[in-house]
Amino acid sequence: MNKSGVKCFTPNNAIILMWSHYANSHKGICLEFDTLVDPEFFVYPINVVYSEEYPNLEFTDKKFATDVLRTKSKDWEYEQEVRIYKPHFGYQCFNSESLRSIILGCNIEADKQSQIIEIVRRNKTFNHVRFYKCRTHPNQFKLEIHPL
């Protein structure tokens, strides 16, 4: 397991806590993929099961690794996480056509935002990528995602 990797995804790109936990307090980015464009990269998605209890694991059971990958505390249920196991860790190549959009956090610094857009635009394989920006809703605890 130490040599393996897990890629984590969610179908909901506007969860405030996700932006807080995984995107440097809303200063980062979120990548949106079309999984059907690159089925080899997104093969065998595992929907996380949220539980109050640890899974009952049998080390000799063939589904041991899946049970470990699949289970997470109920406290994280809002994430709606989907995991993809990879046989090695580190950088993984994906089909550039599968990247649909980049969503910029509502607290991203202006120069960082410009730099990200410029880097992506310079790479011709990402000409199709759309850019969006998160904004906090004026009177509700939620995020709105607007095209740039």
Side-chain angles (χ1 to χ4, degrees):
M1 291 296 280
N2 290 338
K3 295 179 182 175
S4 304
V6 177
K7 306 300 180 197
C8 303
F9 302 90
T10 182
N12 188 340
N13 58 16
I15 301 172
I16 291 174
L17 285 176
M18 295 280 280
W19 282 93
S20 297
H21 292 150
Y22 303 116
N24 192 18
S25 297
H26 302 257
K27 296 177 197 161
I29 64 172
C30 172
L31 304 178
E32 179 187 9
F33 292 95
D34 181 343
T35 59
L36 298 177
V37 172
D38 192 357
E40 189 174 310
F41 182 84
F42 294 99
V43 70
Y44 304 124
I46 299 169
N47 290 319
V48 170
V49 174
Y50 300 94
S51 175
E52 297 286 343
E53 300 172 3
Y54 292 121
N56 186 11
L57 300 173
E58 294 290 332
F59 294 104
T60 57
D61 193 341
K62 289 180 181 178
K63 63 185 186 96
F64 169 76
T66 305
D67 287 345
V68 169
L69 286 174
R70 169 187 323 251
T71 310
K72 198 169 182 178
S73 167
K74 200 139 183 86
D75 293 334
W76 298 96
E77 194 166 24
Y78 68 88
E79 291 184 343
Q80 305 165 33
E81 187 176 345
V82 177
R83 294 177 174 175
I84 297 173
Y85 169 80
K86 294 294 182 181
H88 55 281
F89 67 93
Y91 179 77
Q92 304 277 317
C93 292
F94 58 85
N95 180 329
S96 62
E97 289 295 316
S98 69
L99 181 61
R100 288 289 169 227
S101 68
I102 297 175
I103 305 163
L104 304 152
C106 56
N107 292 332
I108 194 167
E109 297 167 1
D111 61 328
K112 185 90 149 187
Q113 176 176 312
S114 298
Q115 185 180 24
I116 291 168
I117 292 171
E118 181 183 331
I119 289 169
V120 173
R121 287 292 173 237
R122 271 189 293 189
N123 187 331
K124 300 298 181 205
T125 62
F126 293 114
N127 277 345
H128 63 281
V129 173
R130 298 178 310 265
F131 288 91
Y132 296 87
K133 175 84 183 234
C134 282
R135 293 191 188 124
T136 54
H137 189 278
N139 49 4
Q140 293 181 4
F141 290 110
K142 69 182 211 177
L143 295 174
E144 297 177 333
I145 298 177
H146 297 275
L148 282 181

